[in-house]
Amino acid sequence: MVTSEPDRWDGGLPGQPGILELLASGRVSSRTDIARELGLAASTVSLRVQELIDAGLVVESGSGRSTGGRRPKVLRIDPDAGHVLAADLGGHHVRFARLDLLGNLQAVEEIAIDVADGPEVVLDQMSAQLTAMHEAAGGVLRGVAACLPGPVDAAAGCVDSPSRMPGWHRFPVRERLAERFGVPCVVDNDANLMALAEHRNLPGARHSLLVKAGAAIGCGLIIGGDIYRGGTGAAGDITHVRVAAAGDRACSCGNVGCLETIASGSALVRSLRENGHDVATTTDVVRAAMDGEPLATTTVRRAGRSLGETLSPVVNFVNPDAVFLAGLLSTVEPFVAAVRSQLYEGCHPLATRDLQIVQAGTGADAGVIGAGRLILTQVLAGTDTSVPVTSESLS
């Protein structure tokens, strides 16, 4: 069945991908492919494709294989037709990236910052750095994304009830960035975006989860290829699950006995210091464990076991294709081995039969890669037709 009119500027219909999304995914490479995939008339597709070519977003690059008639012109997104910017905010640093329209990293920078300075100060610093990164490249800015280290209401574009971000509760982060740059903007939780980055690097995966084990613990869920946030954006927040081993230890969330109090990097620092070890950061703990210091190794292994026990019911319930382990603690083999062994011990055999339990491969760039891919999904879907920002318009 061929429909007469598309609903979106790039040719997509409600609930369907648009032309740019299809080209980016590799599912189509010609006008004929697009017409078949979207169920549109060839004349409609030709008109929309020409608009994208005229806008500088799509280029023709050679001819494809003939199926009986003329050889079709191969279409592809022009990676030089603009870029998006991403920022991954941590407690004491921000990592910035510029990505082309295919999601490839073009530039990465990092600066020191203190999230406790509050959103006004931090966002001004972030905006200045993002502007400089855009102006260094020139061209057209298509979108901006921010990766935030707390519970995020993605629909509202703000952090909701963070335990370590004073002054950030319900501050309109996305609105502030959109006002500054005048392009589509998205914000999301760091673990969600890291999960998105890792998931899309695993061919064939449908569902996955990522655990970020650093100074704190975060978890992101990918269901059917998309971030699953739950009703209020709290999906995957295993850090505040009560565990018996934590007893009545006070947690930053205001409750007691949370996983964070015994399995996070901050908890390990506290535990080792109480036992006379001169450690100040999670990095110090990791270094000691890698050097084979007995108590540090035992403490890290115990944390991995607690994390694995908490993850087991999640894996049984979600039945993911993969579990990615990220963050500083995931670089310590005893920690990874403990998580893995607890999952195999605590889950149903069917849940672990084909399960991949692996260390995250995108490293320090996971947050900005995931953020870039999220904003590209919106940009390529054509859901916002705001005037793109050029270097001149920001000056």
Side-chain angles (χ1 to χ4, degrees):
M1 176 181 175
V2 176
T3 53
S4 58
E5 289 296 330
D7 186 72
R8 293 203 313 250
W9 73 282
D10 72 336
L13 295 164
Q16 286 187 332
I19 292 172
L20 291 171
E21 285 178 280
L22 290 172
L23 289 172
S25 71
R27 289 161 57 187
V28 301
S29 62
S30 69
R31 292 170 176 81
T32 301
D33 293 341
I34 295 167
R36 182 183 63 251
E37 191 76 22
L38 293 180
L40 297 175
S43 58
T44 299
V45 170
S46 292
L47 176 63
R48 296 297 176 180
V49 167
Q50 190 57 51
E51 289 175 351
L52 294 171
I53 291 174
D54 293 342
L57 293 169
V58 171
V59 294
E60 294 179 328
S61 58
S63 300
R65 182 178 301 175
S66 172
T67 57
R70 287 189 303 174
R71 298 173 67 186
K73 295 288 187 181
V74 174
L75 302 172
R76 64 179 178 86
I77 294 176
D78 185 354
D80 298 322
H83 53 260
V84 295
L85 299 173
D88 179 8
L89 175 64
H92 300 285
H93 73 280
V94 187
R95 196 168 183 87
F96 301 93
R98 185 176 66 246
L99 302 92
D100 66 22
L101 297 188
L102 298 178
N104 300 312
L105 289 173
Q106 294 181 320
V108 178
E109 299 173 2
E110 187 170 306
I111 64 171
I113 211 165
D114 190 346
V115 72
D117 287 340
E120 296 277 2
V121 172
V122 171
L123 290 176
D124 281 348
Q125 292 174 300
M126 287 173 57
S127 295
Q129 193 71 19
L130 288 169
T131 298
M133 180 171 273
H134 167 60
E135 291 178 340
V140 177
L141 175 61
R142 302 284 179 179
V144 174
C147 182
L148 305 176
V152 173
D153 182 339
C158 61
V159 182
D160 195 340
S161 305
S163 58
R164 292 188 177 88
M165 301 175 70
W168 287 80
H169 174 63
R170 306 303 298 180
F171 187 88
V173 176
R174 184 183 62 205
E175 181 181 319
R176 183 61 59 88
L177 291 174
E179 288 175 355
R180 174 68 182 82
F181 292 100
V183 294
C185 294
V186 295
V187 299
D188 211 322
N189 168 261
D190 54 357
N192 284 346
L193 295 176
M194 292 171 70
L196 185 64
E198 291 294 334
H199 182 86
R200 295 196 176 172
N201 280 346
L202 187 66
R206 297 163 298 164
H207 321 297
S208 68
L209 63 88
L210 175 140
V211 179
K212 178 187 176 185
I217 297 173
C219 181
L221 284 173
I222 303 295
I223 303 296
D226 295 321
I227 297 171
Y228 179 74
R229 300 182 180 88
T232 59
D237 191 6
I238 62 169
T239 189
H240 297 299
V241 171
R242 289 201 67 174
V243 294
D248 292 326
R249 290 180 177 85
C251 181
S252 61
C253 71
N255 288 328
V256 297
C258 296
L259 176 67
E260 177 180 298
T261 65
I262 60 170
S264 66
S266 296
L268 302 190
V269 169
R270 183 176 59 253
S271 176
L272 288 174
R273 287 179 67 85
E274 289 172 354
N275 284 278
H277 283 254
D278 185 20
V279 293
T281 65
T282 305
T283 300
D284 295 335
V285 175
V286 168
R287 186 179 300 115
M290 287 184 167
D291 286 343
E293 201 287 320
L295 183 58
T297 302
T298 299
T299 303
V300 166
R301 184 180 290 114
R302 187 183 302 121
R305 190 177 300 118
S306 295
L307 178 58
E309 289 175 353
T310 307
L311 276 178
S312 292
V314 179
V315 169
N316 271 333
F317 188 79
V318 176
N319 189 199
D321 300 302
V323 172
F324 299 106
L325 301 176
L328 268 176
L329 292 177
S330 74
T331 63
V332 184
E333 184 53 37
F335 179 86
V336 174
V339 173
R340 185 178 286 118
S341 66
Q342 285 301 133
L343 287 177
Y344 281 118
E345 182 180 326
C347 296
H348 191 283
L350 279 177
T352 56
R353 185 185 65 189
D354 301 319
L355 179 66
Q356 298 187 56
I357 306 170
V358 295
Q359 291 170 277
T362 48
D365 292 329
V368 290
I369 290 173
R373 288 177 176 175
L374 185 64
I375 186 59
L376 279 171
T377 298
Q378 180 171 320
V379 170
L380 297 183
T383 55
D384 192 310
T385 55
S386 301
V387 177
V389 173
T390 62
S391 298
E392 290 75 18
S393 66
L394 279 175
S395 60

